[in-house]
Amino acid sequence: MRQYSFFDRLCMVADSALKTTKGIYDTAPRPNPASEVSEQEMTADEQAHAANLMRINHTGEVCAQALYQGQALTAKLPEIRQEMEEAAQEEIDHLAWCSQRLSELNSHESYLNPFWYASSFTIGAVAGLVGDKWSLGFVAETENQVCKHLEDHLEKLPEQDHKSKAILSQMHTEELKHATTAIENGAAELPKPIKAGMKVMSKVMTSTVYYI
């Protein structure tokens, strides 16, 4: 297996950042879980609400992608770096699914995605520098918080929006798996102030991306 230098990995991160923030994704290797679900009629307000929630979920996946890329860049152990890179690749499916759903709902991805990508990448890179167990701790806590958001959105989506619900349900299963894998690989329990700070940052993101 080829061993990439730090500069090689930096170029790969830059490529990933451009693709993610510009909405250019590789073809999803797995079928969209909503592809066989029929579209149900919604009012204009219901459609707009569904689109705003899916925009939040898309940006959440942008943040997850950036977090994993930042951690992979600075991770100390090769096996941890590989795990982060594989997780980031899986998140691309989620990005593609959410992006497709936004298009179907006649909406757009958040204009703030470059800012949120940069912020999450910085957090991931710092976590990787501090140590792999803390880096995994950020993964576990991030994925747990994402799961809670997905559960909340599954309840808030219009009852007849079965397509969005199919996507979020599949994402929830896989995000929970990522959290469990991180814990099994030695994730450290983050201090309460850091968890609280992550929740505040998440709240700011969801509050702004719903509209922008």
Side-chain angles (χ1 to χ4, degrees):
M1 183 179 294
R2 178 181 175 183
Q3 297 296 314
Y4 292 102
S5 68
F6 181 81
F7 180 74
D8 288 333
R9 287 187 280 115
L10 194 61
C11 290
M12 292 166 67
V13 165
D15 178 70
S16 175
L18 286 172
K19 287 182 177 179
T20 302
T21 56
K22 295 298 183 181
I24 304 172
Y25 314 122
D26 296 326
T27 301
R30 294 176 295 160
N32 189 317
S35 60
E36 301 299 323
V37 180
S38 59
E39 188 77 75
Q40 301 295 316
E41 186 175 350
M42 290 185 283
T43 66
D45 287 343
E46 288 173 335
Q47 181 172 316
H49 178 59
N52 293 342
L53 292 178
M54 291 305 291
R55 185 181 305 112
I56 290 173
N57 292 309
H58 180 271
T59 296
E61 295 304 320
V62 168
C63 291
Q65 181 78 196
L67 183 71
Y68 283 130
Q69 292 290 352
Q71 290 169 316
L73 184 66
T74 58
K76 296 175 174 58
L77 297 177
E79 57 268 27
I80 298 298
R81 181 181 305 124
Q82 182 177 355
E83 183 177 316
M84 296 298 178
E85 290 171 346
E86 290 175 355
Q89 186 64 36
E90 290 180 1
E91 298 288 352
I92 291 177
D93 287 353
H94 300 175
L95 282 167
W97 297 342
C98 288
S99 180
Q100 181 179 341
R101 186 59 184 148
L102 281 169
S103 179
E104 292 170 351
L105 293 168
N106 297 316
S107 192
H108 59 85
E109 299 169 7
S110 174
Y111 301 122
L112 301 176
N113 279 346
F115 168 78
W116 290 113
Y117 188 100
S119 300
S120 298
F121 180 87
T122 301
I123 292 173
V126 171
L129 287 172
V130 172
D132 289 331
K133 68 175 185 177
W134 295 109
S135 185
L136 289 169
F138 269 97
V139 170
E141 180 61 23
T142 297
E143 297 293 20
N144 282 331
Q145 291 191 19
V146 168
C147 283
K148 291 179 181 178
H149 280 296
L150 291 173
E151 291 163 7
D152 181 55
H153 287 185
L154 281 166
E155 293 183 0
K156 290 181 176 178
L157 280 168
E159 183 178 353
Q160 63 272 44
D161 188 4
H162 302 300
K163 292 181 74 70
S164 295
K165 289 179 180 179
I167 293 171
L168 298 193
S169 293
Q170 181 65 30
M171 287 169 56
H172 183 275
T173 298
E174 295 177 2
E175 304 294 5
L176 188 59
K177 182 190 73 173
H178 291 164
T180 301
T181 300
I183 293 171
E184 291 175 346
N185 280 278
E189 181 76 15
L190 297 183
K192 290 183 179 180
I194 293 180
K195 289 184 179 182
M198 292 172 68
K199 289 180 180 179
V200 170
M201 182 176 177
S202 176
K203 182 65 175 178
V204 172
M205 185 273 281
T206 56
S207 298
T208 55
V209 172
Y210 184 88
Y211 299 101
I212 306 175

